[in-house]
Amino acid sequence: IMPIPLSEFNLVCYEDDITNRLLEQITVFSDIVNSRHIPPEVPIYLIFTKVDLFLQKLDIWNIEHYLEKIRRLEAQMNEKQ
């Protein structure tokens, strides 16, 4: 089970002040799911948490701005691979 707080869509990782937290957590989940060390028959669950905070932030923050940033960062990460 991997919980990912949706409310972190507008935050960056404290390690580098660049990487979007939501994208980082989804990337980690993807790495786990695609790991050759985990047999395919093992169930892996992704649970989005803090939906209430996410909904509150939608009233304040323009999510489209962050989605664009996430898309750009994702493209950059894919180029590095």
Side-chain angles (χ1 to χ4, degrees), residues 1-3 29 43-47:
I1 296 176
M2 182 167 180
F29 177 76
I44 302 173
Y45 299 96
L46 174 65
I47 299 174

Side-chain angles (χ1 to χ4, degrees), residues 1-6 14 17-18 20 24 29 35-36 41 44 47 52 59 65-66 70 78 81:
I1 296 176
M2 182 167 180
I4 295 181
L6 277 177
Y14 65 87
D17 277 340
I18 297 171
N20 180 278
E24 174 71 11
F29 177 76
S35 172
R36 62 183 175 89
E41 63 273 3
I44 302 173
I47 299 174
D52 56 335
D59 290 336
H65 169 75
Y66 293 97
I70 289 171
N78 289 336
Q81 292 178 351

Side-chain angles (χ1 to χ4, degrees), residues 4-8 48-56:
I4 295 181
L6 277 177
S7 62
E8 294 188 352
F48 290 108
T49 63
K50 298 189 179 182
V51 176
D52 56 335
L53 294 175
F54 172 72
L55 294 174
Q56 288 176 7

